[in-house]
Amino acid sequence: MMGMPMMEQTITEMLNVQHEQKLSYLNRRVSPKESYESLLTFPRYFEIETVNACNARCPMCTIADWDRKAGLMSDATFDRILKEIAQHPEVKRIHLYRDGEPLLDKKLANRVFLLKRAGVKRVGISTNAALLDFINARDLLLADLDEIILSIDSLKPSVYESIRVGLDFEQVMRNATDFIALRKKIRPQTQIWVRMIRQESNKDEWPAYHQYWSTLLEPHDRIDYRNIHNWGDQLKDFKPISRVTNDMPCVALWSLMVIFANGDVPMCNVDYNNKYPLGNVMKSSIEELWKSKVQNDRRAIHLTDRSQLPPCKNCTVWDEAI
């Protein structure tokens, strides 16, 4: 029996090497101490949207294109999620937000508390800080919030208010600095991230921005930016400020589950209208959805050629870190 022709053998060997490199990359990005197979058992990260609404209208957001109805996550849906996650100590972090403003949920602090009581290692939120008054700040810290991202895009009032349309710069800055002071009194270990969405109007501010916040924060805090991205080629009038291409598989399919307020689970965190549904947590378990044929088929595509999935082909969410 004749062996494989030399050229075919060489191509096969190259493909095998590339495949192994991709698996190694996923392990390194998601959980270096675990096996690749273990990543397929249950999500390590969650973004749980407890409220689908926002108090701002920002140009780097897709809110004008949202088809989903605004609303709060029911207690029944949250409890179902909580009970399953509590059985999985391998979960690394849960963020109680997705596309809207989490502080519009009046039950947010209690939900943080319930997740911490269930044993979740790290619980966080991302907020525009407009509603981060003393009561909300105190309640979140007393609930043992582990991390909070303060999304503040500029130190210039006019630039800030042109980005975070509908919000007041002075109020946001006051809330942010008050939270920093209160954190020191109530729960010093809570980590604060101050983040800028870097775009055309503020792209030159980063050095001054970093210097300013460095004087207010502690060594365990973080200051960073994320470059504006195109939401899987869905953001209208998108204007990139840098160009980065990446043909590696998207780590979201191996690490992150997004759960919308009504329990729907989209493909990933840029699938804001759930055009590529995975299922609903009120009809299937998280584990079933994570191990489903639909999601495994998507992973297989990413391990070969991610451009075969329309929202993944030109997605620039990769171009986000400093």
Side-chain angles (χ1 to χ4, degrees), residues 115-130:
L115 287 168
K116 292 302 297 180
R117 191 173 67 176
V120 177
K121 297 180 182 70
R122 290 190 69 80
V123 179
I125 66 167
S126 177
T127 175
N128 58 41

Side-chain angles (χ1 to χ4, degrees), residues 26 92 106 160 164 166-167 304 308:
L26 290 166
K92 294 176 177 291
K106 302 301 182 183
Y160 174 87
R164 298 282 168 168
L167 305 186
T304 53
Q308 295 177 43

Side-chain angles (χ1 to χ4, degrees), residues 140-154:
L140 286 168
L141 290 166
L142 290 175
D144 288 341
L145 185 74
D146 294 297
E147 59 190 53
I148 183 169
I149 300 171
L150 304 178
S151 294
I152 302 173
D153 302 305
S154 176

Side-chain angles (χ1 to χ4, degrees), residues 3-38:
M4 183 184 299
M6 182 62 70
M7 182 174 292
E8 290 184 19
Q9 183 177 358
T10 301
I11 293 173
T12 299
E13 289 174 351
M14 289 175 59
L15 291 174
N16 287 338
V17 169
Q18 291 174 0
H19 184 77
E20 290 301 319
Q21 288 175 339
K22 289 178 179 180
L23 297 187
S24 176
Y25 166 80
L26 290 166
N27 267 108
R28 185 172 69 254
R29 286 289 307 275
V30 181
S31 191
K33 296 181 180 179
E34 296 186 73
S35 67
Y36 171 80
E37 289 72 23
S38 69

Side-chain angles (χ1 to χ4, degrees), residues 17-18 26-27 59 65 75 88 145 198 236 260 312-313:
V17 169
Q18 291 174 0
L26 290 166
N27 267 108
D65 193 36
D75 290 341
H88 290 271
L145 185 74
R198 191 166 165 264
K236 296 177 181 178
F260 289 142
C312 308
K313 182 179 180 179

Side-chain angles (χ1 to χ4, degrees), residues 22 36 61 70 72 108 135 153 160 169 175 244 291-292 301:
K22 289 178 179 180
Y36 171 80
C61 181
L72 293 167
L108 184 65
I135 293 175
D153 302 305
Y160 174 87
F169 173 79
N175 287 349
V244 173
K291 293 179 177 179
S292 67
I301 291 172

Side-chain angles (χ1 to χ4, degrees), residues 54-65:
C54 194
N55 55 340
R57 295 294 182 271
C58 308
M60 66 284 191
C61 181
T62 57
I63 190 168
D65 193 36

